[in-house]
Amino acid sequence: MVTKNIALRLMYVGTDFHGWQVQKNAVTVAETLERAISGAVNHPVRVVGCGRTDAGVHARVYIANFRTNSKIPLDRLPLAINARLPHSIVVTKATEVPADFNAIGSCLQKEYTYLIYNSRLRNAFYVNRAYFYPQHLDEQRMMQAAAHFVGTHDFAAVRSVGTDVRSTVRTIRYCNVQRTEDLISISICADGFLYNMVRAITGTLVYVGIGKLDPDDIPALLEGRDRTAAGPTLPPDGLYLTRLWYHEDIGVQTAEAIPIVPTL
Amino acid sequence: MVTKNIALRLMYVGTDFHGWQVQKNAVTVAETLERAISGAVNHPVRVVGCGRTDAGVHARVYIANFRTNSKIPLDRLPLAINARLPHSIVVTKATEVPADFNAIGSCLQKEYTYLIYNSRLRNAFYVNRAYFYPQHLDEQRMMQAAAHFVGTHDFAAVRSVGTDVRSTVRTIRYCNVQRTEDLISISICADGFLYNMVRAITGTLVYVGIGKLDPDDIPALLEGRDRTAAGPTLPPDGLYLTRLWYHEDIGVQTAEAIPIVPTL
């Protein structure tokens, strides 16, 4: 009986779940997925996810791996799992990976994208899909500020206290701000993220966008390591996991983790 | 005390409502809107809507009018109403209109758009926003069939029996089918629509798309006036009211109702 390590690529709308990680008394993505995979392969399953997204956070792409001795052909496994999933979670690919592959440990870097709907009036179709912020945001100022987040820095000032971490130093590869009409999207790529780091960086960029902070305040803000000096932690429903990098060919980016690039 | 006739432009996501029209024991868009307007203008209000969309059907644009003697400035009325609305309904404009303006009677023509997500696997972000249909659809065949719906015809074959109508003859200005990757959108513009007409025409186009009907079957299908000969009535969540035409300048199309145009 050969045990295989299987990487699943999936997507999910986070609105109906209490985040990724299995919890007592709360419906989570991981638990829902485990139940569906178990039904498809006919034995209990534990998944390892590429990240612990919070309640309400979405994943346009996500990788989770699990072990099985099932003989289901891999090209049929997504459909078999999806038949047991709510429609807000969709498995889009199944690939066999080496035994030592781990969805979080093998991940080279990730990109999150935060969407802000910046208009005087709400858009009904963006409820739970973007953060509504009616006061005008100057995206040029936000782009200038975003450049200061790129590189290797201590990001304690944009970290919500949660679980302990060995170090609050991370490397941001790029931090891009783009406006398309009323929608501002902020994409942040890093080798790893602290708790609420993206939502706190984007909240800080909002403060810059309304003139409450200056772009050139950012370096001192980071050096100060003081959470209260930075902007607010924005709500989860504008946040999406959007890109993933691995060495293995599992349906996401396979290129070597890209080096630090200047923000456009 | 001067009574004004006010036209509101709005949008709504239909998922949480039992359609437009006020019903006992069901939350509808009209009732929710009436309650919010009444709160804003401080007296009971009845709205006239431009169409009776079914439960689950969306409106990217919608016009409703009501009468009031309130002195609230019109440019502040949308915000005052929105403060009392769930976020799935948004009023985007308020215009004073002549006393004889009626949202349904003054409407020259309407466009509905139906979205089909035609891919092997679902897209979690399209739940309740598009109709998932995995079997491959040939949009070229669908375009050929769509051309046969254009013009003045008896559309009894694509009408669900509902309330009585004087005549089942309507004039379709255009019936366009377009594919952008996995999303097929079907836009139908007419001077008026029978009950479930768009959902039945798109269901018929799906039958053409999978080869169950031929494009050239459509004229005889219409002449036969037999609902069972046409395709199924597709679910409501792919359907959007997308464009409206009026003489009055109320934030939607004001051009004269366009003449019959050939389907591109």
Side-chain angles (χ1 to χ4, degrees):
Chain A
M1 195 82 96
V2 178
T3 299
K4 294 180 292 191
N5 190 6
I6 308 293
L8 296 177
R9 185 184 66 189
L10 50 135
M11 70 170 86
Y12 57 84
V13 177
T15 308
D16 296 339
F17 302 99
H18 284 257
W20 165 264
Q21 197 173 10
V22 176
Q23 296 175 45
K24 280 192 202 178
N25 304 324
V27 178
T28 64
V29 182
E31 186 198 342
T32 308
L33 183 62
E34 284 175 351
R35 198 175 306 175
I37 301 170
S38 303
V41 302
N42 222 6
H43 65 79
V45 148
R46 275 272 179 274
V47 292
V48 176
C50 66
R52 284 179 305 181
T53 53
D54 262 357
V57 176
H58 312 296
R60 207 172 66 190
V61 68
Y62 194 93
I63 294 290
N65 71 294
F66 69 99
R67 284 166 165 69
T68 184
N69 50 27
S70 167
K71 289 187 166 53
I72 289 184
L74 290 181
D75 60 349
R76 300 190 58 178
L77 190 53
L79 277 167
I81 300 171
N82 289 337
R84 296 165 166 85
L85 281 173
H87 296 158
S88 46
I89 307 173
V90 182
V91 175
T92 57
K93 194 176 175 67
T95 316
E96 187 171 356
V97 286
D100 64 353
F101 176 94
N102 178 289
I104 184 92
S106 306
C107 185
L108 301 169
Q109 63 190 22
K110 298 192 190 81
E111 175 199 84
Y112 280 92
T113 300
Y114 197 91
L115 294 183
I116 302 174
Y117 186 67
N118 185 223
S119 177
R120 208 173 57 88
L121 294 165
R122 290 177 185 278
N123 184 322
F125 294 93
Y126 288 170
V127 171
N128 293 327
R129 300 295 171 91
Y131 171 53
F132 172 63
Y133 192 81
Q135 189 178 346
H136 181 73
L137 292 166
D138 183 339
E139 71 276 8
Q140 298 299 328
R141 284 174 57 92
M142 292 168 75
M143 285 174 196
Q144 292 166 33
H148 289 296
F149 284 102
V150 175
T152 302
H153 303 284
D154 187 333
F155 288 102
V158 285
R159 167 199 178 224
S160 294
V161 175
T163 53
D164 286 335
V165 289
R166 263 195 324 259
S167 158
T168 46
V169 174
R170 296 289 182 273
T171 299
I172 285 186
R173 303 293 187 192
Y174 57 81
C175 183
N176 295 334
V177 178
Q178 177 173 287
R179 181 193 274 278
T180 310
E181 292 181 10
D182 292 329
L183 211 56
I184 293 179
S185 69
I186 299 164
S187 293
I188 306 178
C189 175
D191 59 350
F193 292 86
L194 303 171
Y195 186 45
N196 281 340
M197 182 167 141
V198 177
R199 292 162 56 186
I201 290 176
T202 48
T204 305
L205 291 176
V206 166
Y207 269 18
V208 171
I210 58 174
K212 200 159 170 172
L213 283 170
D214 285 327
D216 292 339
D217 290 339
I218 303 301
L221 187 150
L222 290 176
E223 276 158 40
R225 303 184 84 250
D226 178 3
R227 181 72 191 87
T228 65
T233 300
L234 298 187
D237 42 352
L239 184 61
Y240 297 73
L241 179 60
T242 43
R243 292 171 78 181
L244 296 164
W245 280 261
Y246 291 84
H247 287 301
E248 292 81 3
D249 185 6
I250 53 172
V252 293
Q253 322 288 127
T254 48
E256 272 301 317
I258 60 180
I260 294 173
V261 292
T263 307
L264 294 165
Chain B
M1 197 87 93
V2 178
T3 300
K4 293 180 293 193
N5 190 7
I6 307 293
L8 296 176
R9 185 185 65 191
L10 51 135
M11 69 170 85
Y12 57 83
V13 177
T15 308
D16 297 338
F17 301 99
H18 285 258
W20 165 265
Q21 197 173 10
V22 175
Q23 297 175 45
K24 280 193 203 177
N25 303 324
V27 177
T28 64
V29 182
E31 185 197 346
T32 308
L33 182 62
E34 284 175 352
R35 197 174 307 176
I37 302 171
S38 302
V41 302
N42 222 8
H43 66 79
V45 148
R46 276 271 180 275
V47 292
V48 176
C50 67
R52 284 179 305 181
T53 54
D54 264 355
V57 176
H58 312 295
R60 207 172 66 189
V61 69
Y62 194 94
I63 293 290
N65 70 294
F66 70 99
R67 284 165 164 72
T68 184
N69 48 28
S70 166
K71 290 189 167 56
I72 289 183
L74 289 183
D75 60 348
R76 301 189 58 178
L77 191 54
L79 278 167
I81 300 172
N82 289 338
R84 296 166 165 84
L85 281 173
H87 296 160
S88 46
I89 307 174
V90 182
V91 176
T92 57
K93 194 175 175 69
T95 317
E96 187 171 358
V97 285
D100 64 352
F101 176 93
N102 178 289
I104 184 92
S106 306
C107 184
L108 301 169
Q109 64 189 21
K110 297 194 192 81
E111 176 200 82
Y112 280 92
T113 300
Y114 197 92
L115 294 184
I116 302 174
Y117 186 67
N118 185 224
S119 177
R120 207 174 58 89
L121 294 165
R122 289 176 186 278
N123 182 322
F125 295 92
Y126 289 170
V127 172
N128 292 328
R129 302 295 171 90
Y131 172 53
F132 172 64
Y133 192 81
Q135 189 178 346
H136 180 74
L137 292 166
D138 183 338
E139 70 275 11
Q140 298 300 328
R141 284 174 58 91
M142 293 168 76
M143 285 173 197
Q144 291 166 32
H148 290 295
F149 285 101
V150 175
T152 302
H153 303 285
D154 187 333
F155 288 103
V158 285
R159 166 201 179 225
S160 294
V161 175
T163 53
D164 287 334
V165 289
R166 261 195 326 258
S167 159
T168 47
V169 172
R170 296 290 180 274
T171 299
I172 285 184
R173 304 293 187 191
Y174 57 82
C175 182
N176 295 334
V177 179
Q178 177 175 287
R179 182 192 274 277
T180 311
E181 291 181 10
D182 291 330
L183 211 56
I184 293 179
S185 70
I186 299 164
S187 293
I188 306 179
C189 175
D191 58 350
F193 291 86
L194 304 169
Y195 185 46
N196 281 340
M197 182 166 140
V198 177
R199 292 161 57 185
I201 289 176
T202 48
T204 304
L205 292 176
V206 165
Y207 269 18
V208 171
I210 58 173
K212 200 160 168 171
L213 283 170
D214 286 326
D216 292 340
D217 290 339
I218 303 302
L221 188 150
L222 290 176
E223 278 159 40
R225 304 184 84 250
D226 178 4
R227 180 71 192 89
T228 65
T233 300
L234 298 186
D237 42 353
L239 184 60
Y240 296 73
L241 178 60
T242 43
R243 291 172 77 181
L244 296 165
W245 280 262
Y246 292 83
H247 287 302
E248 293 81 2
D249 186 6
I250 52 174
V252 294
Q253 322 289 125
T254 49
E256 273 300 317
I258 60 180
I260 294 175
V261 292
T263 307
L264 293 164

